[in-house]
Amino acid sequence: MVPKIRRGSRTHGLLVYLYGPGKRDEHVDPHLVGSWDGFAPDPGRDTSPDPDPKATLARLAAALDLRVKQAGADAPREHVWHCSVRTDPGDRTLTDAEWNTVASRLVRAVNLAPEGDPDGCRWIAVRHADDHIHILATMVRGDLRRPRMNYDFKKAQAECRRIEKEMGLRRLKPGDGTAARTPTSAERFKAERAGRSDTARETLRDTVRRALAGVDDEQEFFARLREAGLRVKVRIAPSGDLLGYNVALAGDRNRHGEPIWYPGFKLAPDLSLPKIRLRLADGLSERTTPAPDNGRPDWSAPARARRSATGTAEHAAALLGSENDQEAAAQLVGAGELLDALAQTSPAATRAELAAAARAFERATRSHIRAELADHRALRSAARGIVQAGGALGRGEDGGTTAMLLSALILLTLAAAHWHSARNHAQQAHAARQAAHHLRTAYHHAATTPLRALNAQGRSLPQAERRTHQATIRTALSESGLRADRSAENAHALAATLAQAEDAGHDPKTLLQQAIDMRELDTADNINDVLVWRLRHLAHLPAQPAEPSRARRAGTTGRPGTPARTTVEPRHRSPHR
């Protein structure tokens, strides 16, 4: 049950809308289901001998505004309190009597009409559809004082949660006031008329977030906004200091032909200029040089950037299990930027799912736990590297490293969901799980080709060598409290990866244990997949496997004389969740 509250100054105008046909003739049988005294005139069901709906509506407006006129100049300028209450599409249809109960409880909860108070505000509840009602109240009490309406939205939300439980309706997740503003009905109707699936507000929010991904300073941020085709207007103080910014979609104009501007804070709480400045407090220019172990020089820049970001994402997931909430909150902000960077540089085959994941995870980046004092430059630097590397192909090393990074990001978003759930952040936890769902879809598309090739290579291994690697896998997993299943999907790919790591000079047992110890695997859908990509990242193996070596096709087992490569130090393993 979702309440939406607005305030206005035209009682009669709102009644005309509520009792009218609606903007698309969607209003059916508008009628009262409740009122302050149970005897208010009902323009929709006037039973008088000579009914006149317009006259009845005028009488209803006058009755509601009586105390407003008596209060005169002491009445609030916006004296109309308007709350629409809607049930979930899967809920049963409530009766008029049940809707009357809902309306009565809500006006009591927000202190408009306290129970047993004869001086409570006047109100009515109008129903013109099966799934919702509109509550209209005038905010002047019988003693001509204004009601105390502090935190009315939070109080209405809390009461709706109680009503859902008692009436057997779907129980929605409670909010915490950190969500982005939802588009208005007018914005949605305008988008539908223009043939757009998203409103201007939603499009601007996504575009601003993508422009912010890995940006180094304000000048670069505004330049990216303009490159994305947005109109940008900055507010400058008389001293010359920048106070804020507004953005508008090209071609989005009001009835007077003027651009419709949105300030950053009205797109999302963390997109205001002060919040952006906090995020950009530490520049990234000095951190954008690729690390020397990002891969071979013949690999593309997008592949090297994705491979580097994989390790950063794994480390961020481990930090979400730490005791430092500020540090964890900072990792969530950085993870949001990394998803935005990946979405805008990915091939068309996975772009839609990655964009949906980034949009969903946006809600998981905000809570009342502040991240200003914590360091998230590593993730922001990874995002910057991905943006600067440019678009990736959906095949070859680009496609393989995309699957490698997505495998790490799935576990990162699941760790975020667990972190939020442990702190009763219901909406954020749900958003993180949604992001993980979209990432899984994108992962399966990106990983199909490289894993198919690895499985084929694993099946072509000599039988004795394959059994040796399978025994290594079973032993390592059982010692870590995990179960190995040779018949599981991509088990041959894991054996092939161990064989290739051994060819490269690594000790398979040591390397496999390092991969297991990086982070817990309880939340993984497929442990084999996760270990394949961790091993290939740790051993610097190509993400898109090449053909088996000539010696291996002949049935030999590796090159004993190959010098051992320096192994990667295992990270501290976070506790099992």
Side-chain angles (χ1 to χ4, degrees), residues 8 62 225 271 278 296 299 360 369 434 439 448 474 506:
L225 291 178
L271 293 183
L278 285 173
R296 298 201 304 253
W299 291 344
I369 298 175
Q434 280 186 314
L439 289 173
T448 297
R474 286 196 304 272
H506 295 275

Side-chain angles (χ1 to χ4, degrees), residues 49-232:
D50 188 16
D52 184 351
K54 289 185 178 180
T56 305
L57 190 145
R59 291 201 310 274
L60 179 58
L64 287 166
D65 278 340
L66 175 64
R67 293 167 176 174
V68 176
K69 295 189 180 301
Q70 290 174 342
D74 292 332
R77 186 178 65 84
E78 291 190 327
H79 62 271
V80 176
W81 188 84
H82 174 206
C83 176
S84 60
V85 192
R86 187 180 301 272
T87 55
D88 187 76
D91 284 333
R92 63 183 176 85
T93 301
L94 301 185
T95 65
D96 284 354
E98 288 175 317
W99 276 122
N100 179 32
T101 300
V102 170
S104 301
R105 290 182 59 168
L106 284 174
V107 294
R108 287 199 301 269
V110 301
N111 203 43
L112 277 166
E115 189 170 11
D117 185 356
D119 288 327
C121 298
R122 296 192 169 193
W123 62 273
I124 60 169
V126 178
R127 181 179 188 177
H128 52 213
D130 286 340
D131 64 346
H132 72 278
I133 60 169
H134 292 261
I135 304 171
L136 186 161
T138 48
M139 294 188 292
V140 177
R141 291 168 43 82
D143 53 14
L144 303 188
R145 292 188 294 113
R146 301 183 186 185
R148 295 180 181 271
M149 298 287 291
N150 297 336
Y151 307 108
D152 56 337
F153 178 73
K154 288 186 177 181
K155 292 175 180 177
Q157 285 272 17
E159 188 64 24
C160 282
R161 301 294 82 78
R162 289 188 284 268
I163 292 172
E164 289 164 356
K165 181 178 180 181
E166 294 172 18
M167 290 191 171
L169 305 176
R170 180 191 173 194
R171 301 177 65 180
L172 301 184
K173 298 170 179 61
D176 60 1
T178 62
R181 296 196 182 190
T182 57
T184 65
S185 298
E187 291 171 350
R188 291 194 185 94
F189 292 146
K190 184 176 183 179
E192 290 178 10
R193 291 195 300 271
R196 299 195 305 261
S197 58
D198 294 330
T199 64
R201 186 188 300 272
E202 292 168 323
T203 301
L204 288 170
R205 181 163 57 237
D206 290 345
T207 306
V208 172
R209 286 199 175 281
R210 287 194 294 267
L212 190 56
V215 76
D216 189 42
D217 52 35
E218 292 177 26
Q219 289 72 26
E220 184 181 2
F221 170 59
F222 290 126
R224 285 193 189 179
L225 291 178
R226 294 185 176 95
E227 289 171 1
L230 300 188
R231 294 175 176 267
V232 181

Side-chain angles (χ1 to χ4, degrees), residues 439-511:
L439 289 173
R440 283 193 183 101
T441 303
Y443 166 79
H444 288 306
H445 190 281
T448 297
T449 299
L451 286 177
R452 183 188 299 123
L454 279 171
N455 276 314
Q457 292 177 8
R459 293 187 186 95
S460 68
L461 289 173
Q463 187 175 21
E465 183 180 3
R466 186 168 63 248
R467 287 178 177 174
T468 298
H469 291 307
Q470 288 172 346
T472 299
I473 295 168
R474 286 196 304 272
T475 301
L477 290 179
S478 63
E479 290 177 352
S480 301
L482 301 167
R483 185 175 64 86
D485 184 358
R486 283 184 295 175
S487 65
E489 185 181 5
N490 300 326
H492 293 296
L494 182 54
T497 298
L498 279 181
Q500 292 166 15
E502 186 176 33
D503 275 357
H506 295 275
D507 176 55
K509 295 180 181 179
T510 303
L511 194 69

Side-chain angles (χ1 to χ4, degrees), residues 2 9-10 69 82 84 86 106 113 127 141 216 249 266 282 306 323 372 381 383 385 392 475 562:
V2 181
S9 57
R10 298 177 61 245
K69 295 189 180 301
H82 174 206
S84 60
R86 187 180 301 272
L106 284 174
R127 181 179 188 177
R141 291 168 43 82
D216 189 42
L249 283 180
K266 288 194 175 180
D282 295 315
R306 280 159 170 73
E323 298 295 329
E372 288 92 343
S381 180
T475 301
T562 305

